[in-house]
């Protein structure tokens, strides 16, 4: 029998509905004030935390979680994420706008050692079908002792046989940016991982990396590294984000974030996080070129 016991349940700030063995909905009762950045927009890193919460909570209530964790020697790790943001995400969700986030979760693909989740953001207040943002997340089953990918329990593949793909139809593009960055001007900043960015697995949360990407991007603008962009990068809409995770960071560890702009396409910004010479993750952003109008409710 599945691990979940009912198709809905309530928490103080969140309600889960329509829970099945392949997904469900997470409805939030508003957006907290602290989730908005200094320009009055919904901070992308804070928005990503809502998607993180949805994945953790709903995955723990479906058969993948129950059939995977037979031993403490195994875990599930996020390896890749691709975000797309609608036209109105940046311009219409402001500090005092009325918006009730609804995040849908759907299991869409199973591989030998991986599974992929598709999430979408809607406004539960208007009950509109407009998609404000969406995300594809690839999760890998890892053997902690061997430190390598491990095949999923056969029971998982049997249970979700209709979603099984030997070769992924979603993740066919492997490299998210060119390896050779020497010809491109770049900016690098150093950070020590604060305890406030640590998640329940005792590593820096995936959403926190985007906070440092945007900080690094703003510093790069101040240093004159980027072309076209001026002032704070948070004034510009982020249209797409593609992140590849290779390793994690613990509290107190030092890391560097390096950023540069595509030599030909102004909209493409690239980021690489390194610690002790090792690549922790890589990301590419597709930016909107038009700066948003000053929000009267901005914090600056």
């Amino acid at each position: 029998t599945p691990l979940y016991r009912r198709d809905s349940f309530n928490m103080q700030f969140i309600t889960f509905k329509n829970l099945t063995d392949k997904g469900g909905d997470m409805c939030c009762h508003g957006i907290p004030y602290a989730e908005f950045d200094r320009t009055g927009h919904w901070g992308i890193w804070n928005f990503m935390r809502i998607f993180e919460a949805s994945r953790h909570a709903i995955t723990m209530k479906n058969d993948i979680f129950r059939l995977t964790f037979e031993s403490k020697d195994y875990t599930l790790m996020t390896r890749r994420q691709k975000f797309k943001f609608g036209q109105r995400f940046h311009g219409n969700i402001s500090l005092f706008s009325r918006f009730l986030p609804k995040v849908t979760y759907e299991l869409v693909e199973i591989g030998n050692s991986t599974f992929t989740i598709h999430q979408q953001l809607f406004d539960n207040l208007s009950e509109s079908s407009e998609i404000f943002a969406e995300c594809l997340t690839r999760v890998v089953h890892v053997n902690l002792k061997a430190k390598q990918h491990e095949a999923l329990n056969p029971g998982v593949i049997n249970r979700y046989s209709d979603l099984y793909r030997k070769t992924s139809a979603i993740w066919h593009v492997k490299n998210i940016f060119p390896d050779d960055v020497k010809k491109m001007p770049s900016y690098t900043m150093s950070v020590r991982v604060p305890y406030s960015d640590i998640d329940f697995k005792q590593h820096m949360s995936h959403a926190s990396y985007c906070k440092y990407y945007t900080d690094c991007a703003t510093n790069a603008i101040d240093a004159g590294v980027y072309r076209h962009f001026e002032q704070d990068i948070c004034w510009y809409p982020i249209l797409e984000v593609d992140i590849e995770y290779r390793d994690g960071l613990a509290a107190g560890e030092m890391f560097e974030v390096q950023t540069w702009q595509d030599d030909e396409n102004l909209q493409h910004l690239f980021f690489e996080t390194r610690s002790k010479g090792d690549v922790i993750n890589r990301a590419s952003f597709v930016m909107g070129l038009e700066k948003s109008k000053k929000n009267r409710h901005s914090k600056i």
Side-chain angles (χ1 to χ4, degrees):
T1 58
L3 183 66
Y4 64 85
R5 300 299 181 208
R6 48 186 173 174
D7 62 3
S8 66
F9 64 95
N10 293 313
M11 298 174 67
Q12 188 170 5
F13 184 70
I14 297 170
T15 300
F16 290 91
K17 298 180 178 180
N18 306 317
L19 295 176
T20 71
D21 60 343
K22 291 183 180 178
D25 302 337
M26 186 181 84
C27 303
C28 304
H29 311 311
I31 306 173
Y33 173 86
E35 298 289 286
F36 293 91
D37 65 23
R38 58 258 183 196
T39 66
H41 299 104
W42 193 1
I44 183 174
W45 55 93
N46 288 322
F47 154 74
M48 289 178 175
R49 291 184 195 277
I50 288 188
F51 271 27
E52 273 188 9
S54 166
R55 286 195 307 276
H56 289 314
I58 296 178
T59 299
M60 289 177 67
K61 289 191 170 294
N62 63 31
D63 282 349
I64 284 187
F65 188 85
R66 181 179 64 86
L67 293 170
T68 296
F69 286 98
E70 298 177 335
S71 166
K72 63 180 180 180
D73 297 331
Y74 298 91
T75 191
L76 297 173
M77 291 186 176
T78 300
R79 279 290 182 256
R80 186 85 174 266
Q81 287 186 296
K82 296 178 72 172
F83 293 86
K84 287 187 178 181
F85 298 90
Q87 293 287 337
R88 300 208 310 147
F89 177 87
H90 188 78
N92 288 63
I93 306 176
S94 64
L95 192 58
F96 289 96
S97 62
R98 299 185 66 195
F99 189 88
L100 297 180
K102 172 186 172 182
V103 177
T104 62
Y105 169 121
E106 182 185 8
L107 189 64
V108 293
E109 187 176 81
I110 296 284
N112 290 324
S113 61
T114 68
F115 61 91
T116 298
I117 300 162
H118 182 220
Q119 295 170 282
Q120 294 179 310
L121 173 70
F122 298 90
D123 179 12
N124 208 29
L125 180 68
S126 66
E127 297 183 344
S128 166
S129 60
E130 178 182 1
I131 302 171
F132 283 82
E134 60 183 318
C135 173
L136 284 165
T137 300
R138 191 179 202 186
V139 181
V140 179
H141 185 223
V142 176
N143 184 319
L144 293 173
K145 284 188 174 180
K147 295 184 178 180
Q148 63 184 18
H149 295 185
E150 186 91 4
L152 290 167
N153 186 310
V156 173
I157 295 176
N158 290 335
R159 177 66 187 84
Y160 301 101
S161 59
D162 57 321
L163 301 179
Y164 177 74
R165 304 289 184 274
K166 186 175 182 180
T167 301
S168 175
I170 297 173
W171 304 103
H172 53 277
V173 177
K174 294 185 178 180
N175 296 323
I176 62 175
F177 61 71
D179 287 329
D180 184 9
V181 301
K182 295 179 181 178
K183 297 180 181 179
M184 305 177 193
S186 67
Y187 179 89
T188 302
M189 74 175 196
S190 298
V191 183
R192 184 183 296 276
V193 179
Y195 283 91
S196 56
D197 285 339
I198 300 301
D199 62 18
F200 71 95
K201 290 186 176 181
Q202 302 307 306
H203 290 95
M204 191 161 100
S205 71
H206 294 117
S208 294
Y209 288 106
C210 276
K211 176 173 61 177
Y212 297 110
Y213 295 155
T214 56
D215 282 355
C216 189
T218 299
N219 288 334
I221 291 171
D222 291 341
V225 171
Y226 290 165
R227 308 182 311 283
H228 176 79
F229 299 105
E230 55 186 29
Q231 293 187 332
D232 195 319
I233 198 66
C234 290
W235 285 112
Y236 298 86
I238 299 174
L239 307 179
E240 297 181 23
V241 176
D242 191 349
I243 310 176
E244 174 195 26
Y245 303 99
R246 298 189 180 184
D247 206 344
L249 291 168
E253 286 192 277
M254 293 295 302
F255 67 97
E256 293 181 338
V257 181
Q258 182 183 19
T259 185
W260 63 96
Q261 190 174 33
D262 188 272
D263 203 29
E264 298 179 355
N265 192 330
L266 292 171
Q267 289 183 272
H268 290 192
L269 306 181
F270 302 106
F271 302 87
E272 184 173 85
T273 302
R274 297 183 301 271
S275 180
K276 301 175 183 177
D278 296 327
V279 175
I280 304 300
N281 56 55
R282 289 175 164 178
S284 67
F285 282 25
V286 178
M287 303 294 302
L289 295 177
E290 185 176 347
K291 186 171 62 173
S292 63
K293 296 179 181 179
K294 185 171 179 60
N295 190 324
R296 68 185 180 90
H297 299 306
S298 70
K299 300 177 184 179
I300 60 174

